[in-house]
Amino acid sequence: MRYWLMKSEPGDCSIDDLAAMKDQTVAWYGVRNYQARNFMRDQMSVGDGVLFYHSNCKEPGIAGIAEVCSTAYPDAKQFDKKSKYFDEKATQETPRWFNVDVKLVKKIALISIEELKHHPELENLRTLQRGNRLSITPLDPAEWRFITTRLVRS
DNA sequence: GCCAACGTTGGC
DNA sequence: GCCAACGTTGGC
């Protein structure tokens, strides 16, 4: 069991968009960074905890709790010529990109990046580090526990 | 829209 | 395999 913070641009897929989806589940396609891919492909398991984070928007922060609900499988968009995530070097035999499915557990009152920065318990949170751009980062169990038990408001 | 930080590309 | 140039991310 591991814990993850996963960034999504709300203009692309917000917590409300996720809530409206069939089974409240979304395929986390479009990751085109090897480190983030490797986290999904090599380290994620069904049941892992996910903080659903809104990035690149007016109010960045944690918008909900979710969970990993599939193992990794080839990202369909890499084969779709009409998609902006199309990758001409990927083939069905040797896919380059993978994704898992993520299911909503619950929407929460937004925990803003501002608030996250105020807690010394979270000073090592990867997402808060200067220059960090990784869209998927692992969380320590202690960080997960602190956020989900101390900061979450419904 | 700015720009710091970082990842990727490709010539050599 | 180095590294300059370029592209992207994402908070501000």
Side-chain angles (χ1 to χ4, degrees), chain A residues 17-72:
Chain A
D17 293 333
L18 176 59
M21 287 190 178
K22 181 175 182 296
D23 299 328
Q24 301 193 323
T25 296
V26 66
W28 209 268
Y29 62 77
V31 170
R32 294 294 179 268
N33 169 284
Y34 289 106
Q35 231 184 316
R37 177 203 68 181
N38 293 347
F39 284 142
M40 289 198 283
R41 190 190 60 186
D42 305 333
Q43 295 195 34
M44 283 193 186
S45 312
V46 171
D48 280 4
V50 172
L51 299 177
F52 190 102
Y53 182 91
H54 282 174
S55 71
N56 199 17
C57 58
K58 198 170 169 203
E59 295 183 300
I62 298 166
I65 310 294
E67 65 183 9
V68 175
C69 69
S70 80
T71 52

Side-chain angles (χ1 to χ4, degrees), chain A residues 28-42 72-80 84-100:
Chain A
W28 209 268
Y29 62 77
V31 170
R32 294 294 179 268
N33 169 284
Y34 289 106
Q35 231 184 316
R37 177 203 68 181
N38 293 347
F39 284 142
M40 289 198 283
R41 190 190 60 186
D42 305 333
Y73 58 91
D75 178 338
K77 301 288 183 187
Q78 69 193 303
F79 309 123
D80 178 0
K84 70 170 179 172
Y85 297 116
F86 176 69
D87 184 339
E88 61 179 7
K89 292 181 183 163
T91 65
Q92 297 280 350
E93 294 72 31
T94 55
R96 178 181 288 201
W97 305 110
F98 292 80
N99 64 260
V100 296

Side-chain angles (χ1 to χ4, degrees), chain A residues 130-147:
Chain A
R130 183 181 172 80
N132 180 43
R133 301 181 310 166
L134 253 192
S135 64
I136 298 176
T137 50
L139 293 171
D140 291 338
E143 291 168 339
W144 169 267
R145 209 175 315 116
F146 182 78
I147 292 168

